[in-house]
Amino acid sequence: MFDPENVYVGITPTGWTNDDYPALGEQISFGQVVSEMALAGFEGCSVGHTYPKDEAELKEELGRRGLRVSEPWHSTYFTVNSMRDRTFEAFYDVMGFMKRMGGSTIVVAELGHAVHQQPVPPIANKPIFNDDQWAAMTSGLNELGKIANDNGMTLCYHHHMGTGVMTRAETDRLMAETDADAVHLLLDTGHLYWAGDDPLDMTKTYAERIRHVHLKDIRHDIMVTCNETNRTFIESVIDGVFTVPGDGVIDFKPIFQTLADANYKGWLMVEAEQDATKYNPLEYARKARAYLRETAGI
């Protein structure tokens, strides 16, 4: 289905540890995380808070396991007036890091007023941006995207639970109000499903603009319970709302076929934010890798 020369399979460390809640998985070392990623058959990973800060050490440790960095995360704060300059300064640092790691994808999300790290339910309390905030965000993203282009990088926007760009309608507006050559889309199947929208339908709409994919599955019954009992984002993660592709309710095969038909090139990143004491990370990483071989042919 996919060309293995142009499509790469990676995994994030969130099945082992969690940057939003560092206490989750704190007993697991960096060495265990990346060794189990390699053992499960992945070729790349994103960077977590337990990773070495020394870039030479990071490269060496990943390299000896046959891994490379798929993406860095960069939080933007264009909807907070005082944070615009800091957003750009930090972006240059992230871009420099990714260049030195030999990658070309940068993941961004607007975290101005976001609540997914706060002790409140994410859907009811998510920010709703006004027109001025939308204009500040989209113009800022266009600028970042052009900077990325000029440096051989690809900027991919991540719609995310508890943020101002969470739903399909909000993602549609972001796509409409940004430059298609500068701002690309990161498809996150689990976040979109939890937001109440259809990942396949959005894939069909934006297949040509999707340049990065996070493969989250959803345990639907847990999602419903978390919504009905007003669980926070982190509480929902600990309860098990997310899982690896093939273990939940999302049918990924037509999503993969749609991307393949559009000649998708880039990373397919397994991302299941889970409590490692409940869901063994290596077991679930292997389960995801087998599912991708079966359904995506890669």
Side-chain angles (χ1 to χ4, degrees):
M1 184 182 292
F2 288 107
D3 178 2
E5 295 295 317
N6 293 306
V7 178
Y8 323 109
V9 180
I11 190 167
T12 73
T14 55
W16 290 264
T17 63
N18 195 292
D19 286 3
D20 289 329
Y21 187 63
L24 197 62
E26 63 181 356
Q27 75 282 6
I28 302 176
S29 70
F30 160 74
Q32 178 182 339
V33 173
V34 292
S35 293
E36 291 186 351
M37 288 173 170
L39 187 60
F42 292 94
E43 56 188 307
C45 60
S46 58
V47 179
H49 71 280
T50 65
Y51 284 39
K53 300 301 183 285
D54 181 86
E55 292 179 7
E57 179 185 357
L58 176 60
K59 263 190 171 181
E60 181 179 0
E61 292 296 332
L62 293 180
R64 63 165 45 109
R65 294 168 174 86
L67 297 171
R68 53 200 174 100
V69 177
S70 59
E71 80 236 44
W73 168 284
H74 177 61
S75 303
T76 65
Y77 294 92
F78 292 119
T79 58
V80 181
N81 291 334
S82 61
M83 297 286 284
R84 179 181 170 85
D85 290 345
R86 193 180 306 176
T87 294
F88 277 96
E89 290 169 7
F91 182 76
Y92 280 102
D93 291 339
V94 167
M95 189 169 61
F97 166 79
M98 200 55 189
K99 276 188 174 183
R100 293 188 294 274
M101 290 296 110
S104 61
T105 302
I106 299 176
V107 171
V108 300
E110 175 62 30
L111 294 197
H113 314 285
V115 299
H116 66 288
Q117 297 169 325
Q118 304 301 318
V120 296
I123 296 176
N125 294 278
K126 70 172 296 297
I128 304 295
F129 297 148
N130 61 36
D131 288 342
D132 288 342
Q133 289 172 316
W134 271 98
M137 176 178 63
T138 55
S139 64
L141 290 171
N142 281 335
E143 289 183 56
L144 289 188
K146 290 172 184 174
I147 293 169
N149 286 349
D150 290 343
N151 285 273
M153 298 279 167
T154 301
L155 188 82
C156 298
Y157 190 89
H158 188 334
H159 54 98
H160 197 288
M161 288 296 297
T163 73
V165 184
M166 183 183 87
T167 65
R168 170 65 190 272
E170 290 161 343
T171 305
D172 285 344
R173 180 170 180 177
L174 183 118
M175 292 289 96
E177 296 183 10
T178 53
D179 182 350
D181 293 326
V183 180
H184 306 282
L185 180 62
L186 182 157
L187 171 69
D188 190 302
T189 52
H191 278 277
L192 193 67
Y193 186 96
W194 191 1
D197 295 300
D198 181 2
L200 176 58
D201 186 66
M202 192 160 86
T203 304
K204 290 178 177 178
T205 300
Y206 295 111
E208 301 290 343
R209 200 165 169 182
I210 294 170
R211 298 293 181 87
H212 201 65
V213 180
H214 282 180
L215 302 173
K216 278 193 184 78
D217 211 339
I218 289 283
R219 295 184 176 96
H220 183 84
D221 55 339
I222 294 178
M223 181 195 77
V224 171
T225 298
C226 289
N227 288 344
E228 290 177 346
T229 57
N230 294 321
R231 302 290 276 170
T232 69
F233 180 81
I234 292 300
E235 288 172 339
S236 300
V237 166
I238 293 171
D239 287 348
V241 66
F242 292 130
T243 185
V244 298
D247 189 54
V249 296
I250 298 175
D251 183 2
F252 284 87
K253 192 165 186 178
I255 294 173
F256 293 149
Q257 189 63 62
T258 301
L259 291 171
D261 290 345
N263 196 30
Y264 176 78
K265 297 178 181 180
W267 287 96
L268 297 175
M269 297 296 299
V270 171
E271 185 183 34
E273 296 179 65
Q274 300 196 106
D275 182 349
T277 64
K278 296 179 180 178
Y279 308 102
N280 182 274
L282 178 57
E283 176 187 343
Y284 278 82
R286 281 176 160 164
K287 183 182 295 189
R289 191 66 190 91
Y291 180 79
L292 291 180
R293 290 191 183 99
E294 178 185 348
T295 57
I298 190 170

